[in-house]
Amino acid sequence: MISKREATLNYLILGVFAIIALFPLLGVLTSALTDPSESSASLTFPSSPHFENFLTAWNEGHFGTYMRSSVLVTVSVVVISSLLAVLAGYAFATMRFRGQSVLFYILLLGLMVPSEALIIPLYYDLRGVGLTDTYWALIFPQVAQSLAFCTFWMRSFFRGIPTSLIEAAKLDGATRWSVLWKILVPISRPALLTMAMLVFMWTWNEFLMPLVMITSENLRTAPLGLAFFQGQHTSQFSLLAAGATIVAAPVVIVYLFLQRHFIAGMLAGAVK
Amino acid sequence: MTTTTAVGAPKDAPTAKKKKSRDRSERAAYLYLIPAYVVFGFFLLYPLLHGVWISLYDWDGLTPATWVGIGNYTSAISDPMLLKAFSHSAVLIVFYAVIPILLALLLTGVMTHATKLKRLSFFRVVIFLPQVVASVVVATTWTAIYAPDGVLNKALSLVGLEAVTRPWLGDFAWALPAVGLIGTWVEIGLCLVLFLAGVSQIEPELYEAARLDGASAIREFFAVTLPGLRPQIAVAMTLTVVAGLKSFDLIFVATRGGPGTSTTVPGFEVYHRAFDLNQVGSACAVGILLTVVILIVTTLIQRIDPGERA
C-alpha cells in the first residue's frame, strides 16, 4: 500500500512536471486568442477571447494552403508506406528466399541514416529529374525513410501470428495473396493503426525536407509555412501563435485520442 | 542459401517438385519486396551512395566538380567551424540526454510505487505531450519565451532580477544553453514515461526483499530500481542522444546558428555549406561524418543493455 504522504509527494512531482510541460503550450494557445492590438512578442492572456485570429491566420497567413499541402503529403506518405511495408513485412515474416538477411540489413541502414546525410544528394538527384518543388519530392523520400521502421514493425507483428492460422487457410485453398489480405491484415489492424499514427506524426512534423525541396509558397507544408511566417510576423504574435496552434493541432488531437497507442508505439519504435 | 540435395533419396521426383515450388516461393517473395525496395533504393540508398560520391569532390553545385578524394574529410576534421559545431552538439547532449535522464531517474526513484497511482495515465499524457508537438512549433514557442520582452525576462524582472534579463537567444554565452533547455523540456517527459513504465515491470518481490533486508530508499534505488531500468535507460539514451546530435529544426528556427556561430551544429553546417556557401562536396562530407558519429554513439549505447538488440 502507498501511504498518503507518499502519494501526495508523487502527485506533487507529477503535477510540477505536468505544469512545466503544459505552460509554454497553453501560453501559445492563450496568445492565439489575444486581441492582435494587445499582443506582444511574449505569451499573453486575453481579456476576452478573439477566435477570429485563427480565421485571419488561416486566410491572410495562408495556413489554409499550407494545411492542404501537409494533408496531401502526409496522407500519401502514410498510405504508400503502409502498403509497401505490409507487402515487404509479409515476405520477411513468412517466406524464405535467397539474400534474405542481406536485404534485411540493407533496410536496417534506413533506420540509422539521419536525413541530414541524405538531403543534399537527394536535392540534386531530384532536381536533375525535375522533381524538386513538387509534392513528389516530399512524398517519395519520406516513404523511403519510413519504410525501414514500417517493414520491421509489420514483420515482427506478422511473425507473432500463429502459423497454424496461415496453414489452416492454405489447406482451405487460400492463395498467398488472400491469406495476407483476408487474414493477416484484418488481425493486424491495431498494429497498423499505431504504425500509421507514428508515420503521420513524423511526416506532419517534418521540417528539413520541405525546407530544402520546396520553393513555391503554395506548396509549403504547415511547419515550413510557420517558419516563414515566424520570420515575417514577429510583431503580430497573436497571429503567429494562432498559426502555431493550427500547425500543432492535428497531431496533438490524434495523440489525445489515441495516447496509449502513441506512447507505446513511440517507445517500442525506439530504434528510429 | 541451403541447396536441398536429398542425400540417398530413393526417388528424384519429389525433390525436383519441392525445388520447383521453392523457386516459385522465392520468386513470390521478391514480388512482395520489389515495391518497397524500388522506393527505398531510389530515394534512400542511391542518395546515400551519391552523397558519399559527392563528398569526394570539390563542387559548388553548378560548375564541374574536381576530384579531391578524402580532401573534404581531412579539411573538415581540422576545420575549427566544424569542431565548434560538434562541440556544441556535445553541450546539447548534456541538455537533451544527461539532464533529462538523471532528473527522470531521480524522480522515478523518489516516486515509490508510482505505478499504482490513480490518474497516472492523465499525467503521462501531459508530460509526454512535448514529444508530439512539431519542432517548428516548439521553436516558435520558446523563441517567444526567450524574447527580449518575453515571459522569462518579465518573470525575472518581477522577482527583482532585471540585471539578469537579456535577449537570451541573441546572447553569445547564453544562446546555446537556452536552446539546450528547450531540448531538456522536450525530452524529460519521454524519459520519465519510459522509466515509470520500466519500474512497473520490475518484480515487486525484489522491492519487498530489499525492504525486509532493511535497505534504505537510496540503497533500494541503486540495488533494485537502477539495474531494473537498464533496458529503458539504453532506449532513453539512444533517443535523446540522437535527438541532441541532430537538432537541426530547433537551431534553424530559433537561432540559425547565431549569434555569430555560437549555436551552429553539424546538421546546420550541412545546410549552411550546401545552400549558403555553395560548398556541396564539403556539406556531403559533414553529413557522412554526422552519420558515422551517430552510428558509433548508438552502437556504444547498445552495449549498456546486452539483452537488447535494437
Side-chain angles (χ1 to χ4, degrees), chain A residues 6 10-11 13 17 20-21 28 41-42 84 92 95 97-98 103 117 120-122 124-125 147 205 237 251 255 259 270, chain B residues 26 29-30 33 35-37 46-47 50 107 111-112 118 125 128 132 134 141 144 149-150 154 185 235 239 274 280 291:
Chain A
E6 270 183 278
N10 289 341
Y11 282 121
I13 293 171
F17 278 87
I20 293 174
V28 168
S42 79
L84 300 189
F92 275 119
M95 304 173 203
F97 49 89
R98 243 171 289 189
L103 285 172
I120 307 300
L122 204 51
Y124 285 100
D125 291 341
L147 266 178
N205 292 348
F237 190 72
V251 178
Y255 166 73
Q259 40 93 7
Chain B
E26 277 209 353
Y30 295 135
L33 292 170
Y37 276 87
Y46 177 73
H50 191 195
L107 294 173
M111 290 167 57
T112 42
K118 287 176 200 164
V125 170
F128 198 78
V132 306
T141 308
D149 57 345
K154 278 185 183 159
W185 177 78
V235 170
L239 289 174
V280 181
T291 309

Side-chain angles (χ1 to χ4, degrees), chain A residues 36-97:
Chain A
S37 63
E38 288 172 33
S39 113
S40 75
S42 79
L43 308 178
T44 47
F45 196 81
S47 38
S48 62
H50 285 257
F51 289 101
E52 71 273 13
N53 287 337
F54 288 104
L55 212 64
T56 316
W58 187 271
N59 294 324
E60 286 172 31
H62 307 292
F63 277 96
T65 316
Y66 305 151
M67 292 296 271
R68 200 194 57 205
S69 298
S70 272
V71 169
L72 224 142
V73 170
T74 307
V75 170
S76 309
V77 172
V78 170
V79 170
I80 299 173
S81 9
S82 304
L83 194 68
L84 300 189
V86 163
L87 295 177
Y90 183 46
F92 275 119
T94 65
M95 304 173 203
R96 296 284 156 269
F97 49 89

Side-chain angles (χ1 to χ4, degrees), chain B residues 89-177:
Chain B
S89 278
V91 174
L92 288 184
I93 286 174
V94 173
F95 283 98
Y96 275 69
V98 179
I99 296 175
I101 288 173
L102 289 182
L103 213 57
L105 275 178
L106 179 77
L107 294 173
T108 312
V110 175
M111 290 167 57
T112 42
H113 300 208
T115 48
K116 287 176 191 156
L117 288 178
K118 287 176 200 164
R119 319 277 316 143
L120 181 65
S121 72
F122 164 79
F123 285 107
R124 209 173 41 198
V125 170
V126 172
I127 292 171
F128 198 78
L129 190 60
Q131 283 285 322
V132 306
V133 175
S135 50
V136 178
V137 174
V138 170
T140 308
T141 308
W142 282 87
T143 307
I145 293 175
Y146 286 137
D149 57 345
V151 180
L152 181 58
N153 283 336
K154 278 185 183 159
L156 287 172
S157 315
L158 214 64
V159 295
L161 287 172
E162 280 98 350
V164 191
T165 62
R166 67 195 74 222
W168 296 92
L169 293 175
D171 189 286
F172 278 87
W174 284 95
L176 190 61

Side-chain angles (χ1 to χ4, degrees), chain A:
Chain A
M1 269 315 285
I2 319 175
S3 78
K4 208 160 180 183
R5 233 186 68 218
E6 270 183 278
T8 316
L9 178 69
N10 289 341
Y11 282 121
L12 200 71
I13 293 171
L14 286 171
V16 168
F17 278 87
I19 290 169
I20 293 174
L22 270 186
F23 170 75
L25 300 175
L26 286 181
V28 168
L29 197 59
T30 59
S31 303
L33 296 172
T34 306
D35 188 337
S37 63
E38 288 172 33
S39 113
S40 75
S42 79
L43 308 178
T44 47
F45 196 81
S47 38
S48 62
H50 285 257
F51 289 101
E52 71 273 13
N53 287 337
F54 288 104
L55 212 64
T56 316
W58 187 271
N59 294 324
E60 286 172 31
H62 307 292
F63 277 96
T65 316
Y66 305 151
M67 292 296 271
R68 200 194 57 205
S69 298
S70 272
V71 169
L72 224 142
V73 170
T74 307
V75 170
S76 309
V77 172
V78 170
V79 170
I80 299 173
S81 9
S82 304
L83 194 68
L84 300 189
V86 163
L87 295 177
Y90 183 46
F92 275 119
T94 65
M95 304 173 203
R96 296 284 156 269
F97 49 89
R98 243 171 289 189
Q100 187 158 16
S101 52
V102 175
L103 285 172
F104 192 73
Y105 282 116
I106 289 178
L107 204 58
L108 195 69
L109 211 60
L111 284 178
M112 307 282 199
V113 177
S115 42
E116 284 84 350
L118 296 171
I119 191 73
I120 307 300
L122 204 51
Y123 171 77
Y124 285 100
D125 291 341
L126 293 177
R127 203 181 65 170
V129 291
L131 279 181
T132 44
D133 206 25
T134 66
Y135 288 135
W136 301 115
L138 300 180
I139 295 170
F140 281 120
Q142 292 192 86
V143 169
Q145 290 187 324
S146 308
L147 266 178
F149 169 78
C150 294
T151 305
F152 285 126
W153 185 266
M154 288 323 298
R155 166 182 171 268
S156 62
F157 192 83
F158 286 154
R159 280 180 127 187
I161 295 172
T163 39
S164 56
L165 208 64
I166 301 171
E167 296 301 324
K170 276 190 180 156
L171 283 179
D172 286 346
T175 60
R176 216 190 296 269
W177 183 252
S178 63
V179 166
L180 174 62
W181 294 105
K182 295 219 172 88
I183 298 170
L184 295 190
V185 168
I187 306 176
S188 318
R189 224 179 273 154
L192 271 167
L193 178 72
T194 305
M195 182 182 86
M197 257 167 22
L198 293 175
V199 175
F200 160 67
M201 180 183 70
W202 290 324
T203 312
W204 187 276
N205 292 348
E206 172 67 31
F207 177 64
L208 179 61
M209 198 68 79
L211 174 71
V212 170
M213 296 297 172
I214 298 301
T215 43
S216 308
E217 201 198 328
N218 59 345
L219 296 184
R220 280 178 196 162
T221 59
L224 183 65
L226 179 66
F228 274 98
F229 198 76
Q230 194 226 15
Q232 294 155 1
H233 294 79
T234 38
S235 56
Q236 289 164 283
F237 190 72
S238 57
L239 279 191
L240 179 59
T245 310
I246 293 173
V247 173
V251 178
V252 171
I253 291 169
V254 173
Y255 166 73
L256 292 180
F257 277 104
L258 300 167
Q259 40 93 7
R260 198 173 290 273
H261 301 274
F262 238 102
I263 295 177
M266 278 183 77
L267 300 185
V271 277
K272 190 177 157 107

